Amino acid sequence: MNTVFTASSWPISYQANPEYLVIQSAQPLQVLTSAIIGKEQATTIVNRHVPKSYCPVSPRQETQTWLKENGFSLTDTVTLLTAAYIERGTFQTRENEFFRLAVWTTAGFGNATRAGKKIATHTWNPLPGTINIIIVIDGSLTSYAMVNAIITATEAKSAALQDLGVKDQDGHLATGTNTDAIVIASTQQSIGRYLHEYTGILSPLGSAIGELVYQTVYQIGLQELF
């Protein structure tokens, strides 16, 4: 396992292989997520690779079975799915006197879509094209700052896609894919006695989140699209 930060409130480590990326925390992290297996608190975050043909009757049940078979706890593990190659994912960190921040991104662009357009919708499970973003923060955030962090990360992802020229099937600039997922996880431990109440792009933490999400998405785009 690789250490995430040079120093942190408690040990946080990660490891990646072709099958999955796993992030493990010595103590529970506070979590806000859109992941298929989500928790409010977790010690483990998994980004699991699945084939593009992946289409079980219940992805949630299939994933729970996979977690048990691979030795992961069902009670404190957040799990995302992606058809993107885990080993091509990107990782960046930022540390200062107010927070420690890490961002992992995996991305596939085949299901690029544009939010706000009228498009055909479906009730069945979409294909796992997916831009998955995992953000781990050693710092203390309010609940509304965690929501704000998702907004900032999503704006940064969309900005990277636009700068890469990623388009949907109709030729319009894309804002994401139809199966994107995100995890915001925080130690909730104050760094420098600072409470992050705002994570918009003009705040120190929000600015860093925007930069690292943009850079990790853009870097994958350069590898995959050009």
Side-chain angles (χ1 to χ4, degrees):
M1 298 288 282
N2 304 292
T3 299
V4 175
F5 302 115
T6 55
S8 57
S9 296
W10 55 70
I12 303 173
S13 56
Y14 75 100
Q15 188 172 32
N17 60 54
E19 191 173 2
Y20 59 82
L21 161 71
V22 59
I23 301 160
Q24 294 185 323
S25 173
Q27 296 188 44
L29 301 170
Q30 188 68 34
V31 175
L32 184 63
T33 182
S34 63
I36 188 170
I37 303 289
K39 306 291 179 181
E40 292 185 0
Q41 289 194 327
T43 58
T44 305
I45 303 169
V46 173
N47 189 17
R48 175 195 172 198
H49 174 77
V50 296
K52 290 183 178 180
S53 59
Y54 179 84
C55 192
V57 174
S58 172
R60 182 176 177 84
Q61 290 182 6
E62 189 278 336
T63 299
Q64 289 173 331
T65 299
W66 180 88
L67 288 170
K68 287 189 287 187
E69 290 175 347
N70 285 272
F72 293 109
S73 168
L74 295 182
T75 59
D76 59 4
T77 301
V78 171
T79 310
L80 307 91
L81 303 178
T82 182
Y85 293 107
I86 299 296
E87 59 269 33
R88 296 182 186 175
T90 49
F91 167 63
Q92 291 199 24
T93 62
R94 180 78 54 85
E95 302 183 40
N96 63 27
E97 66 270 30
F98 300 117
F99 61 81
R100 303 176 185 105
L101 169 68
V103 175
W104 293 261
T105 297
T106 55
F109 304 99
N111 296 335
T113 54
R114 181 176 177 84
K117 273 181 54 181
K118 184 175 179 60
I119 58 175
T121 58
H122 306 278
T123 56
W124 42 259
N125 299 317
L127 296 175
T130 306
I131 298 171
N132 283 349
I133 298 169
I134 301 171
I135 299 171
V136 172
I137 302 160
D138 188 12
S140 181
L141 286 75
T142 62
S143 59
Y144 42 94
M146 297 213 26
V147 174
N148 201 174
I150 288 182
I151 295 172
T152 299
T154 303
E155 290 175 347
K157 174 196 70 178
S158 296
L161 294 179
Q162 291 174 6
D163 288 351
L164 287 164
V166 176
K167 297 181 180 180
D168 68 8
Q169 61 182 0
D170 298 322
H172 298 110
L173 286 172
T175 56
T177 81
N178 61 356
T179 51
D180 292 352
I182 189 168
V183 177
I184 305 287
S186 171
T187 63
Q188 294 300 77
Q189 302 298 300
S190 296
I191 306 299
R193 297 183 179 180
Y194 191 82
L195 173 64
H196 297 276
E197 298 187 82
Y198 176 65
T199 51
I201 59 174
L202 293 183
S203 68
L205 179 54
S207 176
I209 289 171
E211 287 182 46
L212 267 57
V213 169
Y214 178 95
Q215 291 167 9
T216 54
V217 173
Y218 193 85
Q219 184 179 345
I220 296 176
L222 291 179
Q223 296 171 359
E224 299 293 321
L225 300 172
F226 300 98

